[in-house]
Amino acid sequence: MTPLRVLGLSGSLRKASLNTALLRAAVDLAPAGMTLEPFDLGALPLFNEDLVASPGAWPEPVAALRTAIASADALLLVSPEYNHSIPAVMKNAIDWASRPPASPLGGKPAAILGASPGGFGTVRMQPHLRQVLTALSMLTLGRPEVLVSNAKAKFDANGALVDEPTREAVRALLVALAEWTARLRPKT
């Protein structure tokens, strides 16, 4: 089986972000044959096409993101919910990656998960993000859904995911993403 390269994006820039901690946990929980590489979105400028000198002449952090997406077999989008929707950090990354020429997002398999200190997890953000990804012709995994609620109680003081049911849910999502991506890969 060909190794599966997954690029992980966190929709939070906070140092003590629960979602970035969830992404780190996913790296450790990835199944055999999958490598999961986090990409830091902190260096991306706010989306502004005036920053593009000519078509395809991206600012360096944008070029790095687009290259990382293009070389990945799939994406794992880990994001909080802000004001019942997608945080600006995640939407900004998607906006930069979606621009022509040659957006690396079309046809790319993806999975979504998120954590929240509240009781609803990221139940409102995830359908919004799924809608955006669908508009970009991404192939988003439908199930399982991982909505980590009351997340502060599920991580220890060092940011390690210690709640076993949540760890199992993340494992199951990653296995499903691997299977989904394998089914979508062109046969050679």
PDB file of all heavy atoms in Angstrom, residues 20 23 29 42 44 57 114 130 164 169 183:
ATOM      1  N   THR A  20      -5.460  22.970  18.117  1.00  0.00           N
ATOM      2  CA  THR A  20      -4.093  22.612  17.746  1.00  0.00           C
ATOM      3  C   THR A  20      -3.634  21.416  18.566  1.00  0.00           C
ATOM      4  O   THR A  20      -2.950  20.521  18.043  1.00  0.00           O
ATOM      5  CB  THR A  20      -3.159  23.817  17.914  1.00  0.00           C
ATOM      6  OG1 THR A  20      -3.659  24.888  17.092  1.00  0.00           O
ATOM      7  CG2 THR A  20      -1.739  23.487  17.494  1.00  0.00           C
ATOM      8  N   LEU A  23      -5.109  18.478  16.914  1.00  0.00           N
ATOM      9  CA  LEU A  23      -4.326  18.130  15.727  1.00  0.00           C
ATOM     10  C   LEU A  23      -3.055  17.379  16.114  1.00  0.00           C
ATOM     11  O   LEU A  23      -2.703  16.379  15.486  1.00  0.00           O
ATOM     12  CB  LEU A  23      -3.990  19.388  14.919  1.00  0.00           C
ATOM     13  CG  LEU A  23      -3.109  19.216  13.686  1.00  0.00           C
ATOM     14  CD1 LEU A  23      -3.668  18.189  12.711  1.00  0.00           C
ATOM     15  CD2 LEU A  23      -2.901  20.561  13.001  1.00  0.00           C
ATOM     16  N   LEU A  29      -2.125   9.619  16.703  1.00  0.00           N
ATOM     17  CA  LEU A  29      -3.125   8.570  16.543  1.00  0.00           C
ATOM     18  C   LEU A  29      -3.284   8.091  15.106  1.00  0.00           C
ATOM     19  O   LEU A  29      -4.099   7.204  14.839  1.00  0.00           O
ATOM     20  CB  LEU A  29      -4.481   9.064  17.070  1.00  0.00           C
ATOM     21  CG  LEU A  29      -4.521   9.389  18.564  1.00  0.00           C
ATOM     22  CD1 LEU A  29      -5.799  10.143  18.912  1.00  0.00           C
ATOM     23  CD2 LEU A  29      -4.393   8.119  19.389  1.00  0.00           C
ATOM     24  N   GLY A  42      -0.173  30.596  10.760  1.00  0.00           N
ATOM     25  CA  GLY A  42       0.087  31.889  11.371  1.00  0.00           C
ATOM     26  C   GLY A  42       0.804  32.896  10.502  1.00  0.00           C
ATOM     27  O   GLY A  42       0.670  34.102  10.709  1.00  0.00           O
ATOM     28  N   LEU A  44       0.364  33.334   7.241  1.00  0.00           N
ATOM     29  CA  LEU A  44      -0.403  33.769   6.072  1.00  0.00           C
ATOM     30  C   LEU A  44      -0.894  35.201   6.241  1.00  0.00           C
ATOM     31  O   LEU A  44      -1.454  35.552   7.279  1.00  0.00           O
ATOM     32  CB  LEU A  44      -1.631  32.871   5.859  1.00  0.00           C
ATOM     33  CG  LEU A  44      -1.404  31.441   5.417  1.00  0.00           C
ATOM     34  CD1 LEU A  44      -2.740  30.720   5.315  1.00  0.00           C
ATOM     35  CD2 LEU A  44      -0.671  31.391   4.089  1.00  0.00           C
ATOM     36  N   ALA A  57       2.000  34.332  -8.693  1.00  0.00           N
ATOM     37  CA  ALA A  57       3.142  34.860  -7.930  1.00  0.00           C
ATOM     38  C   ALA A  57       2.675  35.169  -6.514  1.00  0.00           C
ATOM     39  O   ALA A  57       2.409  36.305  -6.155  1.00  0.00           O
ATOM     40  CB  ALA A  57       3.704  36.113  -8.610  1.00  0.00           C
ATOM     41  N   GLY A 114     -13.332  19.141  15.266  1.00  0.00           N
ATOM     42  CA  GLY A 114     -13.118  20.349  16.034  1.00  0.00           C
ATOM     43  C   GLY A 114     -13.434  20.159  17.497  1.00  0.00           C
ATOM     44  O   GLY A 114     -14.152  19.236  17.884  1.00  0.00           O
ATOM     45  N   ARG A 130     -18.030  22.432   5.658  1.00  0.00           N
ATOM     46  CA  ARG A 130     -18.337  21.409   4.645  1.00  0.00           C
ATOM     47  C   ARG A 130     -18.938  22.068   3.390  1.00  0.00           C
ATOM     48  O   ARG A 130     -18.615  21.706   2.262  1.00  0.00           O
ATOM     49  CB  ARG A 130     -19.294  20.379   5.241  1.00  0.00           C
ATOM     50  CG  ARG A 130     -19.543  19.170   4.393  1.00  0.00           C
ATOM     51  CD  ARG A 130     -20.429  18.156   5.120  1.00  0.00           C
ATOM     52  NE  ARG A 130     -19.962  17.847   6.450  1.00  0.00           N
ATOM     53  CZ  ARG A 130     -18.969  17.014   6.755  1.00  0.00           C
ATOM     54  NH1 ARG A 130     -18.331  16.393   5.778  1.00  0.00           N
ATOM     55  NH2 ARG A 130     -18.623  16.799   7.995  1.00  0.00           N
ATOM     56  N   GLU A 164     -10.060   8.842  26.628  1.00  0.00           N
ATOM     57  CA  GLU A 164      -9.971   7.683  25.724  1.00  0.00           C
ATOM     58  C   GLU A 164     -11.103   7.621  24.708  1.00  0.00           C
ATOM     59  O   GLU A 164     -10.846   7.311  23.527  1.00  0.00           O
ATOM     60  CB  GLU A 164      -9.867   6.378  26.512  1.00  0.00           C
ATOM     61  CG  GLU A 164      -9.443   5.192  25.658  1.00  0.00           C
ATOM     62  CD  GLU A 164      -8.176   5.418  24.827  1.00  0.00           C
ATOM     63  OE1 GLU A 164      -7.180   5.978  25.338  1.00  0.00           O
ATOM     64  OE2 GLU A 164      -8.164   5.037  23.630  1.00  0.00           O
ATOM     65  N   ALA A 169     -12.427   8.202  18.938  1.00  0.00           N
ATOM     66  CA  ALA A 169     -13.171   8.890  17.878  1.00  0.00           C
ATOM     67  C   ALA A 169     -12.218   9.486  16.842  1.00  0.00           C
ATOM     68  O   ALA A 169     -12.472   9.410  15.631  1.00  0.00           O
ATOM     69  CB  ALA A 169     -14.061   9.976  18.480  1.00  0.00           C
ATOM     70  N   ARG A 183     -10.041   4.907  -1.644  1.00  0.00           N
ATOM     71  CA  ARG A 183     -11.114   4.651  -2.632  1.00  0.00           C
ATOM     72  C   ARG A 183     -11.119   5.704  -3.727  1.00  0.00           C
ATOM     73  O   ARG A 183     -11.510   5.404  -4.873  1.00  0.00           O
ATOM     74  CB  ARG A 183     -12.481   4.635  -1.939  1.00  0.00           C
ATOM     75  CG  ARG A 183     -12.695   3.408  -1.124  1.00  0.00           C
ATOM     76  CD  ARG A 183     -14.140   3.134  -0.753  1.00  0.00           C
ATOM     77  NE  ARG A 183     -15.066   4.219  -0.837  1.00  0.00           N
ATOM     78  CZ  ARG A 183     -15.874   4.611   0.145  1.00  0.00           C
ATOM     79  NH1 ARG A 183     -15.838   4.004   1.316  1.00  0.00           N
ATOM     80  NH2 ARG A 183     -16.717   5.585  -0.037  1.00  0.00           N
TER      81      ARG A 183
END
